[in-house]
Amino acid sequence: MIHVIHIDFETRAKRRLGKTKHPDNQGLWKYMKCPYLRALIASYRIDDQPLKRWQYGQPCPDDIRRAIAEGAVIIAHNAAFERLLWQLYLTPMLGWPTVRREQFKCTAAKAAALGLPRDLDGLSQALDLKTKKLGDDGKRLIDLFSVPRRARKGEDKTLTYFNEPEEFPADFDLFIRYCDYDVLSESEADERMVSLSDATQQVYQLSERINDRGLRIDMPSVRAALRIARNTKTGVDAAMHRVTGGTVRTCASHAALKKWLEAQGLTVTSTDKATVADLLEMEDLAPEVREALELKQNAKSSVSKLEKFEQFVDPDTGRVHHAFVFNAASTGRFSSRGVQLHNMPRPRKEFIDAHLDLDQLFEFIGTGDPGVIEFMYGPQLGKPLHLLSDALKSFVIADEGKELCVADYSGIEDAVGSWSAGEQWALKAMAEILADPKNKPDMYRLTAAGIYGEPIEKSDPRRQVGKVSRLALQYEGGVPALFSMARNYNLKLHTTYGPVWSAASVERRERACKRYEKCLKRNEAKTDVLSREGWIAGELIKIGYRETHPNIRDGWSILRDAIREAVLNPGTKVRALNCTYLVAQGFLWCRLPSSRCLAYASPRLKQQVWFYDFTTEEAEVVAAEQGYARERAGEGRVKSEATPAVTALGVNSVTLAFERFGLYGGLAFENIVQAIALDLLNNGLLLAEAAGYPVIGHIHDEIITEVTRGFDPDAKRFEKLICQLPTWAAGLPLGSSGYSGNRLKKD
């Protein structure tokens, strides 16, 4: 019999964990290496036995020793914490038995795979567990016992002090009960939830191995870059002070800038990155307003990213560890934390096109002098903050005697989308491009040709329209989605109006104009940001994309209808595209081609009606309850019943709230495509490991390995390796591009 240990520890250390921006929050790995670390208490239960406790100063419990010796499975919530505590502290410092990474399972990862909250408190509420966390009281107890206290009168303020258990016996007893509740909650949740499949558990173990290895950071260059960034920032702040007539002192003065912009006649909700980018799309900005907004935009995130490198790097290893989050999204996709490697700014086009010698660039960065950067690369390319932002990925380097072997799947979501929907012309074109990339027009040119109605050459600027539309419109998005993606690629929609309008049929033009007037009256869909010509150009591009991708377009409604049928008929399998939907055990399941399942909690139908909109005399379906539609439109404007929509419970990716959302066709398609893309990425990660390429990271669809120098003299071998398709993905046109070198880069 393999024993199961559910366990939770409460600790204290000078360093911190959690979402706090406190400078002592330096990540899980550095927390475990803090010299002040102490495991205070543990609560645990083995199999179905009663709950037990351990406190600092006591030996490792005999029953834990026996269970570990017999190969017990250890289950914890966010199990990396318990595992690293065990491996880096309990075993070497307190003599606990040695454990292996493979013995651990994580209930937070299990919850995320079901679309449930990762945090134990949220999970307890979502599952309505019998035992729940001690919410606010728990936070108070952690602040009392787990972090340093202020020095008291007469104590040396240069030393670190903690509240001791004997000073607050009643609170410490409550702290022990808090730990008890965590174990009872996580063990009940573990019993209530469907387990990860063996294949997914294997990827979880690999993810932990990757996190343990970490990525090496070029810290001398980071420190030099910070000197450049801080010196440059002084000049940018001075320019902001000048252009605003002394009203805004620095680019970080958000409230002052907002107030100044409003005084210039702009309606501004905030001055965050997205809002500033939206405002810069406006064509009639006063010169001083445009300059102020550009200064704000140019105060790049490079400084904060560089500071994160400095904050989270382990000085002993020179590496950032545990930067990746397994099962961060309901589709299973990874994300990152700490240095946020998945959220690196996109390099400028001129930086990519320049193909700079990175070794030479980092020699100049190493001087710490912004003037050297400006002199060597000129006034445009050599703007120090921009150039540091462009080069952020390249601060990740190989260890001594090693090199990075990297490959990035090429247009994987595009390929998966066409494969899933059966868009045959696109699949055929992708296969031909993979076979002869030098002589075949790429997908961006082919898509632009469909929009414009004529062949597009490689140098034709209209190719960018094809690129942006392929990236933005696959998931039933409209002008707002296109606008957001166009902004990322510096494409101004109003500049495309002339050729897009000329290429469009009379029928397409009428549809686009009619749609614009409707959205303008409602003040929605970016009509407050885009000019009329820019908005109509976007709508024409959307129409063109949908007409040239009929299978993808039809796939949205096929999925919507299949999901509705599955919810109406629990227990019945409903096939749609290459997936199967089924409602069982309180979830809507979507079985992917890989056999992995996506889960949507508590699916239900929402009744809808057709009604005459306030601003037009045309019927519009409202994605809301009947009562909302009748309240908004009035009984006299309701026309007829409409097909019900499916809703489910899930975690909001922005607010992290567990809330109900509408599962429309485009969203279902996006979930499927991104989940299949993850399955292919996971397949590549496992293939790389098995072939002797130790994986140290992954950024979206890019796999980063670190090998002994000369291990793979030809990166093409690695590219082919990770593109080996599993049997379930037969016919999927998967390609990649890669390189070997000392630094990570934008290939």
Side-chain angles (χ1 to χ4, degrees):
M1 173 184 175
I2 301 297
H3 295 289
V4 175
I5 303 173
H6 284 95
I7 195 164
D8 182 71
F9 288 90
E10 299 301 335
T11 59
R12 76 181 189 193
K14 185 175 181 179
R15 292 177 180 146
R16 300 178 183 231
L17 289 174
K19 300 175 184 177
T20 176
K21 295 183 179 179
H22 195 285
D24 284 339
N25 176 18
Q26 300 175 5
L28 179 60
W29 183 270
K30 290 179 73 174
Y31 181 91
M32 294 302 172
K33 298 182 74 175
C34 174
Y36 294 91
L37 176 66
R38 175 184 289 185
L40 296 173
I41 51 179
S43 296
Y44 69 96
R45 65 187 304 180
I46 299 177
D47 302 326
D48 295 326
Q49 297 175 18
L51 188 77
K52 294 185 178 182
R53 296 165 171 173
W54 169 89
Q55 289 190 41
Y56 180 78
Q58 298 174 350
C60 175
D62 289 338
D63 52 357
I64 288 182
R65 284 190 179 276
R66 287 193 299 270
I68 294 298
E70 295 173 13
V73 173
I74 306 163
I75 299 177
H77 202 76
N78 292 313
F81 180 91
E82 274 70 23
R83 179 177 65 81
L84 289 178
L85 180 72
W86 205 308
Q87 293 179 322
L88 299 181
Y89 173 80
L90 293 174
T91 297
M93 303 300 291
L94 302 185
W96 282 45
T98 301
V99 291
R100 295 174 292 107
R101 185 187 299 112
E102 291 73 21
Q103 288 178 260
F104 285 81
K105 292 187 176 182
C106 179
T107 49
K110 197 171 175 179
L114 294 172
L116 299 172
R118 289 184 72 94
D119 67 289
L120 187 54
D121 188 24
L123 181 61
S124 299
Q125 300 298 328
L127 293 177
D128 193 23
L129 300 180
K130 296 176 183 176
T131 306
K132 299 181 174 65
K133 284 177 67 70
L134 283 179
D136 294 339
D137 212 15
K139 182 181 183 305
R140 180 185 68 82
L141 294 168
I142 289 172
D143 290 341
L144 183 63
F145 292 112
S146 295
V147 299
R149 63 167 173 80
R150 291 182 179 180
R152 295 167 183 160
K153 186 176 181 180
E155 292 179 334
D156 187 343
K157 293 184 179 180
T158 64
L159 300 180
T160 300
Y161 302 94
F162 294 89
N163 291 316
E164 298 298 338
E166 57 270 20
E167 296 178 284
F168 303 91
D171 279 323
F172 194 71
D173 183 61
L174 190 59
F175 199 34
I176 293 172
R177 288 167 52 204
Y178 171 79
C179 192
D180 291 345
Y181 288 155
D182 277 3
V183 172
L184 293 172
S185 294
E186 70 189 34
S187 59
E188 184 186 351
D190 183 47
E191 185 178 344
R192 292 269 302 275
M193 294 187 295
V194 177
S195 296
L196 297 179
S197 68
D198 291 344
T200 304
Q201 180 66 20
Q202 183 183 13
V203 176
Y204 168 75
Q205 298 294 349
L206 175 56
S207 178
E208 289 297 285
R209 194 178 310 135
I210 292 167
N211 275 329
D212 287 354
R213 287 173 180 151
L215 302 99
R216 186 183 175 200
I217 307 299
D218 181 358
M219 288 309 298
S221 294
V222 167
R223 296 184 187 103
L226 280 169
R227 292 198 299 273
I228 292 172
R230 287 162 182 162
N231 289 337
T232 304
K233 185 175 180 296
T234 301
V236 174
D237 285 342
M240 176 66 81
H241 191 255
R242 171 188 53 77
V243 77
T244 60
T247 302
V248 185
R249 299 183 66 84
T250 73
C251 290
S253 303
H254 307 296
L257 178 59
K258 180 176 180 290
K259 186 175 180 180
W260 182 81
L261 290 170
E262 289 171 344
Q264 312 309 308
L266 292 178
T267 301
V268 183
T269 55
S270 77
T271 58
D272 62 14
K273 180 180 177 181
T275 302
V276 169
D278 283 352
L279 292 171
L280 283 169
E281 291 290 330
M282 299 174 69
E283 299 170 40
D284 55 350
L285 291 175
E288 64 274 14
V289 172
R290 184 169 295 278
E291 184 179 355
L293 289 169
E294 288 176 345
L295 285 167
K296 174 66 177 175
Q297 188 181 58
N298 293 347
K300 287 282 186 180
S301 61
S302 53
V303 176
S304 61
K305 286 290 185 186
L306 292 166
E307 289 172 340
K308 290 294 185 184
F309 281 138
E310 194 170 45
Q311 181 178 351
F312 286 93
V313 74
D314 181 351
D316 297 330
T317 64
R319 305 174 82 89
V320 168
H321 299 269
H322 283 258
F324 302 102
V325 182
F326 175 80
N327 260 13
S330 60
T331 57
R333 297 281 279 187
F334 292 94
S335 71
S336 59
R337 59 191 159 205
V339 295
Q340 293 288 343
L341 292 162
H342 281 218
N343 192 28
M344 289 286 186
R346 188 184 303 278
R348 294 169 296 164
K349 184 177 185 300
E350 52 263 44
F351 176 82
I352 296 171
D353 292 345
H355 299 290
L356 299 183
D357 182 321
L358 288 177
D359 290 335
Q360 187 178 67
L361 169 61
F362 274 82
E363 282 185 25
F364 298 145
I365 290 174
T367 66
D369 185 350
V372 171
I373 301 292
E374 292 170 331
F375 176 78
M376 296 306 302
Y377 295 109
Q380 187 61 37
L381 183 60
K383 292 179 179 178
L385 289 179
H386 282 73
L387 200 55
L388 291 178
S389 181
D390 294 334
L392 273 173
K393 282 183 70 173
S394 297
F395 286 90
V396 177
I397 59 172
D399 214 339
E400 296 294 333
K402 297 186 177 181
E403 64 181 353
L404 303 179
C405 191
V406 185
D408 190 358
Y409 289 112
S410 306
I412 186 171
E413 285 194 32
D414 196 3
V416 171
S418 294
W419 180 76
S420 297
E423 201 68 75
Q424 294 302 325
W425 74 266
L427 291 173
K428 181 174 181 292
M430 290 174 185
E432 291 174 349
I433 292 166
L434 288 175
D436 188 12
K438 292 183 178 179
N439 298 312
K440 293 294 182 181
D442 61 35
M443 291 305 297
Y444 302 147
R445 287 169 58 190
L446 292 173
T447 303
I451 292 169
Y452 289 103
E454 61 184 27
I456 303 295
E457 297 301 319
K458 189 173 183 179
S459 59
D460 193 320
R462 292 179 295 177
R463 176 184 178 274
Q464 193 76 342
V465 172
K467 178 176 184 176
V468 169
S469 64
R470 290 204 75 79
L471 296 174
L473 301 177
Q474 183 168 243
Y475 305 130
E476 208 173 354
V479 173
L482 190 69
F483 166 77
S484 297
M485 191 63 69
R487 189 175 60 198
N488 289 341
Y489 287 91
N490 201 30
L491 173 67
K492 309 295 184 184
L493 287 178
H494 69 270
T495 65
T496 70
Y497 175 78
V500 170
W501 180 266
S502 298
S505 65
V506 172
E507 186 269 338
R508 281 191 189 180
R509 294 176 185 176
E510 289 177 350
R511 284 170 59 192
C513 291
K514 193 174 183 180
R515 180 73 177 160
Y516 173 72
E517 294 301 328
K518 193 177 294 183
C519 291
L520 180 65
K521 288 179 180 178
R522 298 174 184 159
N523 193 31
E524 63 184 23
K526 296 297 181 183
T527 52
D528 58 332
V529 175
L530 287 168
S531 66
R532 181 179 186 277
E533 290 186 346
W535 201 98
I536 289 175
E539 182 69 9
L540 287 170
I541 291 169
K542 182 199 84 174
I543 293 170
Y545 174 87
R546 292 186 178 185
E547 290 187 357
T548 54
H549 294 78
N551 282 26
I552 289 176
R553 179 198 63 210
D554 294 345
W556 304 329
S557 57
I558 290 170
L559 289 171
R560 180 196 64 212
D561 293 344
I563 290 168
R564 184 187 300 118
E565 184 180 346
V567 175
L568 280 169
N569 301 282
T572 301
K573 295 179 181 179
V574 182
R575 185 79 176 168
L577 303 188
N578 52 5
C579 297
T580 302
Y581 288 94
L582 170 72
V583 171
Q585 298 177 296
F587 288 87
L588 168 67
W589 303 94
C590 172
R591 185 178 182 183
L592 302 166
S594 66
S595 294
R596 183 167 68 91
C597 289
L598 302 182
Y600 303 92
S602 187
R604 67 173 62 155
L605 292 173
K606 177 176 68 175
Q607 299 302 321
Q608 299 183 136
V609 295
W610 289 93
F611 73 98
Y612 292 106
D613 186 84
F614 278 125
T615 56
T616 71
E617 287 301 317
E618 296 185 12
E620 292 281 351
V621 69
V622 176
E625 302 288 349
Q626 286 183 1
Y628 175 82
R630 289 189 164 92
E631 179 183 345
R632 178 179 173 187
E635 286 291 342
R637 290 179 180 263
V638 174
K639 182 181 179 183
S640 62
E641 299 298 317
T643 305
V646 172
T647 68
L649 289 172
V651 179
N652 185 305
S653 61
V654 177
T655 66
L656 301 184
F658 190 58
E659 61 190 22
R660 189 159 290 280
F661 65 96
L663 186 57
Y664 60 93
L667 177 59
F669 189 58
E670 180 180 29
N671 290 171
I672 287 169
V673 169
Q674 292 188 350
I676 293 172
L678 171 70
D679 290 336
L680 293 169
L681 173 71
N682 289 340
N683 182 64
L685 292 171
L686 293 168
L687 288 170
E689 283 284 318
Y693 294 85
V695 180
I696 60 170
H698 40 79
I699 302 176
H700 301 302
D701 304 312
E702 179 180 49
I703 297 176
I704 309 163
T705 70
E706 188 176 43
V707 299
T708 303
R709 186 171 291 126
F711 172 79
D712 186 359
D714 182 9
K716 294 295 180 186
R717 175 172 169 258
F718 184 59
E719 293 173 28
K720 292 178 181 177
L721 171 70
I722 67 167
C723 287
Q724 293 178 22
L725 292 172
T727 54
W728 56 262
L732 197 155
L734 185 64
S736 70
S737 60
Y739 62 90
S740 296
N742 186 51
R743 291 184 184 274
L744 197 61
K745 64 180 181 179
K746 172 65 178 178
D747 189 33

